[in-house]
Amino acid sequence: MHRVGSAGNTAGSSRPRKEKRFTYVLNDADNKKHCAGINCLSYLKASTSGTSDYLFTGSRDGTLKRWESKNGVPSFSATFESHVDWVNDAIVVGQNLVSCSSDTTLKVWNSLSDGACTRTLRQHSDYVTCLAAAENNSNICASGGLGGEVFIWDLDSALAPVAKSVDAKEDETPNGNCGPALTTLCNVNSSSNLASTNGQSHGYSPIAAKGHKDSVYALAMNDTGTLLVSGGTEKVVRLWDSRTGSKKVKLRGHTDNIRALLIDSTGRFCLSGSSDSMIRLWDLGQQRCVHSYAVHTDSVWALASTPSFTHVYSGGRDQSVYLTDLGNRESVLLCTNEHPVLQLSLQDDMIWVATTDSSVHGWEAERENPENLFKKGGSFLAGNLSFSRARASLEGSAPVPIHKEPSSVMPGIPAIIQHEILNNRRHVLTKDTAGSVKLWEITRGAVIEDFGKVPFEDKKKELFEMVSIPAWFTMDARLGCLSVHLDTPQCFSAEIYAVDLNVAGAQEDLKINLAQETLRGLLVHWSKRKQRSGSHGLSNGDTSTGKDVSLRNLPHPRSEVDDGAENHASQMLPSFEFSTVSPPSIITEGSSGGPWRKRITDLDGTESDIPWWIVDCVEHNRFPKENTKCGFYLHPAEGSPAPNITQGKLSAPRILRIHKVANYVVEKLDRPLDGNADSTFAMGLTSGQSQFSALDSSSRLGLKPWQKSKPSVEILCNSQQVLLPEMSLATVRAYVWKKPEDLILNYRVVQSR
C-alpha cells in the first residue's frame, strides 16, 4: 500500500491550506452496492435460532455494508458511512463492528444498527491497515498500520461513557469524530454527535507494541487475546504479549512482505502468507518454521483456515484460491477470479472472496470436511520452493479449478478509473472498469448521459467546447466515484450567465456563481433543519456573542467580499438540485477531531464543524470576490475608417459576450468620445435585482441573447479573425489571442443586412 493523497488525509500535502477544504462525493444511483474494490470481509453468526447471519464488507469507496445471509443468499441490509478514505479492515468484536481506514482512524459501530458510528478512536499517525480480535474475548482487539505502529485496545475502557464537561461541549464534532488528543474518549449526545474530552486526565490510552521499524500489514490474535502476532515489510513474524505490549520473539524465513497471518485456537501454530508467494507454518512453541508451501505463483494476500487448523484456503495476486492440506501438503485449485484476491471468509459450505473488484463472490467450499474437495481430482503436491509453482505454470501444467462459476454473488458497481473535466467546468466525462463512458453534471451530482462502451478519447474530442471557465474545483476518483474538492477563495472564481443554464425567467445579464449555488444545493437540507431547530451556533465551535463571527474571521478586506445581492436567486436553481434518492456525501475537516463524512440528507442542522466560509456563503450570501474581470484594449481594425472610440484600457467580466462589445462600439460611435483614459466597461454587469424577472419578447421566442440585435460592427482579434458574437472575453483570450499580454480587440463597420 502506497501513500496516496485523499479527501480526508492531508498529512504531508504540499498545497497551501489557509482554510478547511470542503469535498462532496457523488454516489451512484444504486447506493446498496459498493463502487470500488473490497478490502475486507467479516462474519457475524446468528446469536439465536430464527435470526440471520450477517456478512460485513469494507470497501475502497470508504464505506462498509452489511449483508443479511439467508440460506446462503445475501441481501443488502445497511450502509456504514463515516470513514473518509479506504476501509482497509473490519472485524466483529462481540456485538461491535470495528473498522480501520487510510484516514488514520478506527471506528466502532453497533453491528446491528442502521449504520451510525458510535465511536472514533484516534491513535495512529498514518494509514491503519489491519485489525485482529480474540475469538473468546470480546473486549480485546489490535490495530496495525504504516510507520510500524501497533496498538492493543481494551474496548470496554475505550468505549466507556465520559461525563460531558463544559470544555468538551466546545469540541463537539459530527458523525462519530473525537477531539484533539490522541487518547480520546467520546460520548454520544442526543443529536447523535459525539462529544470529546481530553484523555490525558481521565481518558484511555491503548497499549503500544513498539518494535516494528516499518509498516505493518497483518495481525492475528489467539482465542484468549493473550498472544499477538504481526508482520509487514520487515519480512519477519513478530510475537507479542498483548497484555503488556512486550516483544517475545521474532521469526525469520520469508523473503518479502508478510501480508496475511492466522493463529490456531491453542495459540501454538501460526500460518503466514507473503509476497514471496509462499505460505509458512510456524510452531510458536519451538519458534521455528515447520513447513513451507509453494502453492501460488505470485503474492499471497489472504488466508482462511478450517476450525481444526488442518487445512487452509489461500488467495492472492495470481487471482486464484487454493485449498491446502497442511499435513500431507496436498493442494487443489478451488477457483479462479478475474481480479487479485484481497481477503477470504470461510462460513459453513461457502467461502466468500473479496477482490479488487466491487463485487463479492461466494464459492462452494468445505468448512468441516475439506478433504471432500480433494476427491474431485486435480490435486497436486505443494512444493517447498517458490519457483517450483511458477515454473510449473510456465510449463503449462497449471491445475484446473474445481469450480467454474461462483454459487453466489453480491454485485457491485464498476469503479470509475478515468475522468476528464470538460471546458465548461460543469460536466465531467468518466470511464469505469466495465468500459462504460458517462457524462456527469457535477453541479447536481447526476449522470446526464450514458454513452455505453465507446472510446473515451473520441468522446472527449466530440464533447470539446471552445469556452474558457476558471478551474473552480479539483477532482479525483480514488474512492471509485467522483470526489469534488472546493477550496476558498479559488472555488468562487467561476461565473456563468443564468440564461446559459436555461433558467426560466432570468434576466439576460444575471450572473450565477457556480460554487455558491452548488454549496446551496448541497446544504439545503442542513439549512432548513438548522432553521427549524433554532440552532444559531457558528462553525468551528464558535458561539454567538451578538457579533458576526464569520465576518470577524474573514481573511479578506470587506471590499473584496461579494454580498451576493446581484448573483443570488431566492429559489433553488434546477441545475443545482441534488438527488435525495442517491444523495452525495460531504467530507470536511472538524475543528479538532479530524475529517468526517455524511450524506447530505442525513445532516440534521446541528453539525457545528462545517467551515465558516461555507456557512457565510450559504446562509449570508457572502463569499470572497475573486477577480472575474478581463482587461483589454479596443481599437479600430487596420484599414477601417471608423474613429478611435477609447483612449485607454477597458475592463469587463470575463464571461462578457462579444456581441456586448459590438453593441458598446455601436453606442460609442453614436456619441462623442468622453475622454476618459481609464474607463470601466459597464456593459454586461448584473442588474442587482435579487429576484428573477421576465425576459423580453425576443427571449420568449427562443432567440439567443446575441440574436436580439444585429450589430453593425464586427469584432476582430489578432487584426484578422472575426469573432463569433456568442464567444466570451475569456474564450477569446484562451483560444484566439493566446498571449500573456493584455487582450487587444479591433472593430470595423460592416454593411447592415
Side-chain angles (χ1 to χ4, degrees):
M1 181 179 297
H2 303 286
R3 292 196 51 77
V4 180
S6 65
N9 191 347
T10 58
S13 174
S14 60
R15 63 184 175 86
R17 296 300 308 279
K18 295 181 179 179
E19 297 296 344
K20 294 171 185 173
R21 166 172 283 190
F22 185 85
T23 296
Y24 63 98
V25 181
L26 303 183
N27 298 310
D28 194 273
D30 190 349
N31 59 9
K32 296 181 179 180
K33 300 176 181 178
H34 286 296
C35 64
I38 310 298
N39 279 342
C40 54
L41 302 169
S42 190
Y43 208 84
L44 176 63
K45 295 288 290 184
S47 56
T48 59
S49 61
T51 58
S52 301
D53 294 351
Y54 291 101
L55 179 67
F56 297 90
T57 55
S59 172
R60 295 177 177 183
D61 63 15
T63 70
L64 299 104
K65 294 188 185 294
R66 184 179 66 217
W67 308 83
E68 186 175 4
S69 180
K70 292 184 178 179
N71 301 321
V73 179
S75 60
F76 171 80
S77 177
T79 295
F80 298 79
E81 182 174 8
S82 183
H83 284 297
V84 301
D85 207 337
W86 288 11
V87 176
N88 294 322
D89 204 358
I91 53 174
V92 174
V93 185
Q95 292 299 307
N96 289 315
L97 176 68
V98 181
S99 60
C100 68
S101 167
S102 296
D103 64 13
T104 76
T105 70
L106 280 73
K107 289 185 182 287
V108 184
W109 324 72
N110 181 335
S111 60
L112 301 179
S113 71
D114 59 357
C117 176
T118 58
R119 204 73 84 246
T120 298
L121 305 177
R122 303 181 184 279
Q123 189 73 38
H124 287 267
S125 61
D126 212 326
Y127 292 3
V128 192
T129 57
C130 51
L131 299 170
E135 183 72 24
N136 299 330
N137 189 337
S138 61
N139 188 40
I140 300 296
C141 73
S143 60
L146 303 191
E149 294 177 325
V150 176
F151 297 106
I152 302 154
W153 302 83
D154 180 324
L155 289 183
D156 283 349
S157 299
L159 305 182
V162 178
K164 198 173 181 182
S165 66
V166 175
D167 294 336
K169 291 181 181 179
E170 297 182 358
D171 291 329
E172 288 184 11
T173 58
N175 210 20
N177 289 319
C178 301
L182 290 178
T183 53
T184 302
L185 295 182
C186 305
N187 178 47
V188 182
N189 61 29
S190 59
S191 63
S192 298
N193 289 345
L194 295 179
S196 64
T197 181
N198 193 316
Q200 293 178 343
S201 58
H202 56 277
Y204 165 78
S205 295
I207 297 172
K210 298 181 179 179
H212 275 285
K213 299 179 178 62
D214 214 334
S215 299
V216 177
Y217 285 120
L219 293 173
M221 191 175 281
N222 67 344
D223 283 1
T224 58
T226 58
L227 177 66
L228 177 69
V229 294
S230 62
T233 55
E234 295 176 66
K235 310 171 189 177
V236 298
V237 177
R238 292 181 180 268
L239 276 66
W240 311 82
D241 185 335
S242 57
R243 294 163 295 189
T244 61
S246 58
K247 292 182 287 186
K248 299 184 70 172
V249 71
K250 185 163 51 176
L251 304 176
R252 301 180 183 276
H254 283 293
T255 59
D256 207 335
N257 300 343
I258 295 172
R259 299 299 300 268
L261 290 168
L262 293 177
I263 297 183
D264 76 330
S265 58
T266 66
R268 178 182 175 183
F269 293 103
C270 172
L271 277 168
S272 59
S274 168
S275 295
D276 62 12
S277 79
M278 297 294 293
I279 300 172
R280 291 183 179 270
L281 177 64
W282 308 83
D283 187 316
L284 300 183
Q286 299 180 17
Q287 300 181 12
R288 69 183 184 92
C289 176
V290 293
H291 285 297
S292 298
Y293 307 91
V295 176
H296 291 267
T297 59
D298 209 330
S299 301
V300 181
W301 290 347
L303 298 173
S305 71
T306 58
S308 60
F309 216 73
T310 57
H311 296 73
V312 64
Y313 292 88
S314 58
R317 192 173 182 178
D318 60 6
Q319 307 178 6
S320 302
V321 176
Y322 289 91
L323 170 64
T324 302
D325 187 320
L326 298 178
N328 63 20
R329 311 178 64 84
E330 188 178 9
S331 293
V332 65
L333 177 59
L334 182 72
C335 62
T336 57
N337 298 267
E338 296 180 357
H339 306 275
V341 176
L342 297 177
Q343 202 166 81
L344 302 171
S345 179
L346 178 62
Q347 304 297 331
D348 299 327
D349 295 330
M350 183 86 71
I351 186 165
W352 295 100
V353 180
T355 70
T356 55
D357 184 48
S358 56
S359 300
V360 178
H361 295 88
W363 301 82
E364 290 184 12
E366 292 279 353
R367 175 180 167 88
E368 302 298 335
N369 301 297
E371 59 274 3
N372 292 339
L373 292 174
F374 293 100
K375 298 176 182 178
K376 298 184 179 182
S379 64
F380 61 93
L381 192 64
N384 55 14
L385 296 175
S386 60
F387 66 82
S388 62
R389 281 290 298 121
R391 183 174 60 189
S393 178
L394 290 174
E395 292 174 352
S397 58
V400 177
I402 294 176
H403 301 307
K404 301 294 185 183
E405 298 292 336
S407 57
S408 185
V409 178
M410 291 185 290
I413 299 166
I416 293 174
I417 55 174
Q418 190 175 4
H419 67 276
E420 183 75 22
I421 302 171
L422 301 188
N423 286 354
N424 62 18
R425 301 291 173 179
R426 291 185 296 116
H427 295 160
V428 174
L429 192 67
T430 64
K431 180 181 179 180
D432 59 32
T433 53
S436 294
V437 176
K438 299 178 181 179
L439 186 65
W440 291 75
E441 186 170 14
I442 64 156
T443 54
R444 59 189 184 96
V447 175
I448 57 178
E449 192 163 359
D450 187 343
F451 301 107
K453 297 181 180 180
V454 299
F456 184 83
E457 293 299 324
D458 292 350
K459 182 56 65 174
K460 184 175 71 173
K461 292 177 182 177
E462 179 185 327
L463 295 175
F464 174 80
E465 294 180 81
M466 191 183 289
V467 295
S468 178
I469 304 291
W472 59 282
F473 65 90
T474 56
M475 173 175 285
D476 68 61
R478 173 170 162 78
L479 301 179
C481 47
L482 295 178
S483 296
V484 184
H485 311 296
L486 303 180
D487 293 286
T488 187
Q490 302 95 307
C491 67
F492 296 110
S493 62
E495 293 180 330
I496 190 172
Y497 285 117
V499 292
D500 292 332
L501 293 174
N502 299 317
V503 177
Q507 293 182 347
E508 178 185 342
D509 291 336
L510 181 65
K511 292 180 292 184
I512 299 294
N513 187 285
L514 293 178
Q516 182 194 26
E517 294 303 323
T518 300
L519 290 171
R520 291 182 65 230
L522 287 167
L523 296 179
V524 61
H525 306 283
W526 175 80
S527 296
K528 291 178 180 178
R529 291 166 185 170
K530 183 179 180 183
Q531 292 173 1
R532 285 201 300 265
S533 65
S535 174
H536 300 294
L538 298 173
S539 60
N540 298 335
D542 290 324
T543 55
S544 178
T545 59
K547 297 181 180 180
D548 192 331
V549 180
S550 296
L551 275 182
R552 181 186 66 203
N553 293 333
L554 276 175
H556 309 277
R558 182 64 184 268
S559 60
E560 297 180 18
V561 178
D562 188 351
D563 64 5
E566 65 180 28
N567 292 351
H568 182 65
S570 60
Q571 71 269 32
M572 187 60 60
L573 303 179
S575 297
F576 302 91
E577 288 182 346
F578 289 86
S579 169
T580 56
V581 177
S582 55
S585 304
I586 66 169
I587 296 175
T588 190
E589 299 169 39
S591 59
S592 55
W596 53 272
R597 171 175 174 172
K598 259 190 181 182
R599 296 214 169 199
I600 61 172
T601 50
D602 293 336
L603 298 171
D604 57 17
T606 64
E607 293 81 6
S608 60
D609 268 14
I610 293 177
W612 70 266
W613 61 271
I614 302 285
V615 177
D616 225 28
C617 171
V618 172
E619 293 198 334
H620 308 297
N621 299 328
R622 288 192 294 258
F623 54 88
K625 186 67 172 179
E626 283 287 274
N627 181 20
T628 59
K629 300 290 186 179
C630 176
F632 66 99
Y633 293 92
L634 190 59
H635 301 309
E638 185 177 352
S640 172
N644 188 5
I645 59 174
T646 64
Q647 295 182 355
K649 185 166 71 172
L650 303 174
S651 177
R654 290 183 300 207
I655 61 174
L656 191 80
R657 305 291 191 193
I658 291 300
H659 82 90
K660 288 280 190 178
V661 180
N663 290 342
Y664 173 81
V665 172
V666 171
E667 180 181 338
K668 281 292 186 178
L669 289 175
D670 290 339
R671 294 188 303 180
L673 188 66
D674 57 13
N676 186 356
D678 191 22
S679 58
T680 299
F681 197 84
M683 304 297 291
L685 295 179
T686 55
S687 63
Q689 298 180 10
S690 60
Q691 301 291 332
F692 294 132
S693 59
L695 291 170
D696 60 29
S697 59
S698 61
S699 290
R700 288 194 294 269
L701 291 174
L703 297 178
K704 296 289 185 180
W706 55 272
Q707 293 174 318
K708 296 176 186 178
S709 61
K710 295 289 185 179
S712 57
V713 299
E714 286 180 337
I715 306 299
L716 300 85
C717 186
N718 291 331
S719 300
Q720 54 185 355
Q721 183 170 343
V722 178
L723 303 178
L724 297 176
E726 67 270 22
M727 296 176 74
S728 69
L729 292 177
T731 300
V732 173
R733 184 178 182 89
Y735 294 101
V736 182
W737 181 245
K738 299 180 183 179
K739 301 174 187 177
E741 296 85 9
D742 285 327
L743 175 65
I744 298 177
L745 298 179
N746 304 105
Y747 56 89
R748 67 185 179 194
V749 178
V750 295
Q751 295 293 330
S752 299
R753 294 182 181 178

